[in-house]
Structure formats: structure tokens, C-alpha cells
């Protein structure tokens, strides 16, 4: 068994395609196919089965070998990072994924401080939806993700970072702004701007459940997956919206909006740092988490 066979197999399994994997490891598809055939011959088991013309699926033996390949490649990366640190060079890769709003409002100063401490780290930051962030962490494609704690599955490790509170976004001077504890019946009098109705946006699901339980009719005038876009249209007077925000965030003051607390209706949550339970952290990766937590 050769190292290049393990690497080739891992990328085919991860990407579900010989063509895409060949592009990643800079080999021809035919050369990669021969490597996998040789590996299967040595192991005595097929590792893939084809579903139709294009789709690949791991066999039982393939699943076991994928777990082995994933573990050994992770240990290799950690070893190379540790050896670099022994030389006094914190050289390695740090991959992070987070939703746009988190990256836009909460991350710039954190990254600025981290890059200043570790300029030789190869940093990659991905703007992704919360659901996609969790999948990237699960698949080992990023070291850390940032997502709402309530959305993180049990098989992943989560570290609380910042508390978020549910608020109603309304135009400045809106009638609801003068009410101490706004009710759902009062909210339903106005057109609503809500996120798409998917499992990723648990706040909308909870709100609609409450509306139904109370028998309250409501009207959705717009769907938006981006709080910045929702805020823009709230400012124009199109409707009112909901958001989970970090209280006191400086950027909030730049908007011509009212932020009306919904803490009596929806419980507060937390943004969490997410990683795999089997993740081995080198010193410069641990330092990133420390920088993040110190910012709070």
C-alpha cells in the first residue's frame, strides 16, 4: 500500500468523483483509477460501487478504509504542524467557516489580531450558510466553524462564544417601539420579512408554531436569508423582521432601525465555535480559539 493510493482514495471518497479527485491531486483520471484498482487488489475488496453512470458509493470495506484514511491524513497534518512548531515556525493551515453576518460584524478584529500573532499561518476563511458550516466541520474540510449552538449536532464539539438575543427589527419611530412587551398579536398586524422556511432557520419555525398555537393570522411579504438584506428593506418600510443579534454590537448603531427585545417570547442563544471531537489542535490552532474567546 502506497501513500499516494491512500491520498487518492480519500479524495475520490470525499468528492464522490474520480474526475474531481484527479483535479485535486494533479493526476489524470486514468492514473487515479489504476491506483484505486491496485489498492482494491491488495486489500482483496472493492472500495466503491457505481450507482448509475456518474454516482459512486462506498462499499462496507470502503467505509472502513475511508475512516482509516481520514484518521491517518489528519495525524499527518498534525505531525507536520508540530514539526514546524519545533523549528519555531508556526507554519500550517487554519481553515474557518462562518455565516456572512458573523464574518462581517464580529470577525474582523479577531482575525486582525490573530494574523498579527501568526503571520506565517496559511489562513482560509469561508463565507457559508450555517448548515453548510456544520457540514464542512463534519467532513473535516475546515478546522473550525461558527454557528448557533442550538443547530450543532451532538457528535460535534461546541464552545460558547457570544450570547445572541432575539429582536424585532422595525423602522425608526415604529409604533411597536414604544411598547414594553410587544405581543405576537401586535406583531402580526404588520407585514413580515422572514428567513426561508427551512430547518436551518429555527427561529422562523418557532415563531410560526407560536402563531398557529394562538390562532393568529400573519402575512409574509418577503423572504430573506441575509439579515443585512432584511435590515435594508425594514428601513424602507416594507415590513418588520426578526433577527438574533449580539447585544451592543457597534454596527447596530449605524442602522436607522428600532431593535425591540423578544426575550419574553424567544429564548436567547449562543454563537459557538464548532469542531470535530477527534480534532487534534496544534498550538497555533489553540491560539485561534483563545484569541476568539479573549475578544469576548
Amino acid at each position: 500500500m502506497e501513500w499516494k493510493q491512500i491520498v487518492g482514495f480519500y479524495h475520490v471518497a470525499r468528492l464522490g468523483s474520480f474526475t474531481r479527485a484527479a483535479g485535486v491531486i494533479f493526476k489524470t483520471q486514468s492514473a487515479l483509477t489504476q491506483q484505486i484498482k491496485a489498492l482494491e487488489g491488495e486489500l482483496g475488496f472493492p472500495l466503491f460501487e457505481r450507482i448509475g453512470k456518474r454516482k459512486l458509493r462506498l462499499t462496507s470495506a470502503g467505509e472502513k478504509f475511508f475512516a482509516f484514511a481520514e484518521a491517518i491524513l489528519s495525524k499527518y497534518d498534525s505531525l507536520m504542524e508540530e514539526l514546524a512548531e519545533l523549528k519555531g515556525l508556526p507554519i500550517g493551515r487554519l481553515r474557518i467557516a462562518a455565516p456572512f453576518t458573523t464574518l462581517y460584524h464580529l470577525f474582523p478584529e479577531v482575525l486582525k489580531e490573530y494574523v498579527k500573532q501568526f503571520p506565517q499561518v496559511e489562513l482560509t476563511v469561508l463565507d457559508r450558510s450555517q448548515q453548510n458550516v456544520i457540514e464542512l466541520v463534519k467532513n473535516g474540510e475546515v478546522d473550525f466553524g461558527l454557528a448557533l449552538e442550538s443547530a450543532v449536532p451532538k457528535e460535534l464539539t461546541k464552545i460558547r462564544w457570544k450570547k445572541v438575543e432575539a429582536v424585532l427589527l422595525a423602522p425608526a419611530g415604529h409604533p411597536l417601539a414604544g411598547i414594553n412587551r410587544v405581543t405576537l398579536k401586535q406583531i402580526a398586524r404588520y407585514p413580515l420579512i422572514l428567513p426561508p422556511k427551512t430547518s436551518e432557520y429555527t427561529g422562523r419555525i418557532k415563531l410560526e408554531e407560536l402563531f398557529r398555537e394562538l390562532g393568529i393570522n400573519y402575512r409574509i411579504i418577503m423572504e430573506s436569508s441575509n439579515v443585512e438584506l432584511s435590515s435594508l428593506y425594514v428601513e424602507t418600510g416594507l415590513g418588520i423582521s426578526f433577527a438574533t443579534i449580539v447585544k451592543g454590537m457597534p454596527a447596530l448603531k449605524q442602522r436607522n432601525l428600532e431593535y425591540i427585545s423578544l426575550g419574553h417570547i424567544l429564548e436567547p442563544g449562543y454563537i459557538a465555535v464548532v469542531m470535530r471531537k477527534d480534532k487534534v489542535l496544534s498550538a497555533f490552532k489553540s491560539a485561534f480559539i483563545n484569541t476568539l474567546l479573549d475578544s469576548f
Side-chain angles (χ1 to χ4, degrees):
M1 185 184 305
E2 298 179 8
W3 178 253
K4 62 183 179 181
Q5 291 174 321
I6 298 172
V7 172
F9 164 81
Y10 171 77
H11 286 292
V12 174
R14 184 174 65 85
L15 297 170
S17 164
F18 276 89
T19 303
R20 283 188 286 171
V24 169
I25 61 175
F26 304 105
K27 281 191 173 294
T28 63
Q29 183 177 334
S30 60
L32 179 57
T33 301
Q34 290 304 314
Q35 279 187 11
I36 301 301
K37 282 184 178 178
L39 179 61
E40 289 175 325
E42 183 177 345
L43 294 173
F45 287 97
L47 299 174
F48 297 100
E49 57 179 328
R50 291 191 177 274
I51 310 299
K53 290 184 178 180
R54 295 174 179 261
K55 192 173 180 181
L56 291 175
R57 184 167 65 189
L58 288 169
T59 62
S60 295
E63 289 175 357
K64 292 182 183 298
F65 195 76
F66 180 73
F68 162 78
E70 190 174 40
I72 199 169
L73 287 171
S74 176
K75 288 180 178 178
Y76 172 79
D77 287 343
S78 297
L79 172 63
M80 298 308 293
E81 289 167 0
E82 288 171 9
L83 291 176
E85 287 176 24
L86 286 176
K87 297 177 183 177
L89 299 172
I91 296 174
R93 292 183 299 163
L94 177 61
R95 297 156 295 180
I96 307 158
F100 170 83
T101 302
T102 301
L103 291 176
Y104 187 81
H105 290 296
L106 303 174
F107 236 50
E109 290 302 315
V110 173
L111 288 182
K112 183 179 177 182
E113 178 61 29
Y114 183 76
V115 169
K116 187 165 65 176
Q117 292 182 48
F118 298 94
Q120 292 166 297
V121 170
E122 184 184 327
L123 184 65
T124 302
V125 181
L126 303 177
D127 166 20
R128 297 290 187 270
S129 69
Q130 181 170 259
Q131 194 169 16
N132 194 215
V133 166
I134 291 170
E135 287 303 312
L136 289 170
V137 174
K138 273 186 185 179
N139 297 337
E141 294 179 60
V142 297
D143 300 295
F144 305 119
L146 283 108
L148 286 175
E149 186 181 65
S150 58
V152 180
K154 292 180 180 179
E155 66 263 30
L156 297 176
T157 295
K158 50 192 175 184
I159 303 169
R160 281 185 176 179
W161 181 34
K162 289 183 182 288
K163 185 177 181 180
V164 293
E165 300 178 26
V167 296
L168 182 68
L169 304 180
H174 194 276
L176 293 179
I179 300 173
N180 187 29
R181 287 169 68 88
V182 68
T183 67
L184 287 172
K185 190 172 182 179
Q186 291 167 326
I187 291 170
R189 294 172 186 164
Y190 302 93
L192 303 177
I193 299 173
L194 296 180
K197 195 171 184 178
T198 67
S199 59
E200 181 174 354
Y201 299 102
T202 55
R204 170 169 175 172
I205 294 169
K206 179 63 177 174
L207 280 167
E208 292 194 315
E209 286 175 355
L210 291 172
F211 279 134
R212 282 194 297 270
E213 287 172 10
L214 297 171
I216 298 173
N217 293 321
Y218 57 96
R219 183 167 80 92
I220 299 171
I221 194 168
M222 179 180 179
E223 287 192 347
S224 164
S225 59
N226 186 302
V227 70
E228 291 295 320
L229 182 62
S230 300
S231 299
L232 177 64
Y233 280 91
V234 170
E235 282 182 317
T236 68
L238 183 67
I240 58 177
S241 187
F242 297 86
T244 51
I245 64 170
V246 175
K247 196 172 181 180
M249 195 164 59
L252 298 179
K253 299 174 183 177
Q254 300 170 10
R255 289 287 190 185
N256 194 26
L257 296 172
E258 301 283 359
Y259 298 91
I260 304 165
S261 175
L262 295 178
H264 56 291
I265 297 175
L266 297 170
E267 294 182 0
Y270 291 87
I271 298 174
V273 184
V274 188
M275 60 184 156
R276 287 171 53 133
K277 290 186 183 294
D278 60 357
K279 187 70 180 173
V280 179
L281 297 183
S282 57
F284 71 84
K285 288 179 181 175
S286 295
F288 172 77
I289 292 183
N290 292 335
T291 303
L292 199 67
L293 298 180
D294 286 346
S295 72
F296 177 60

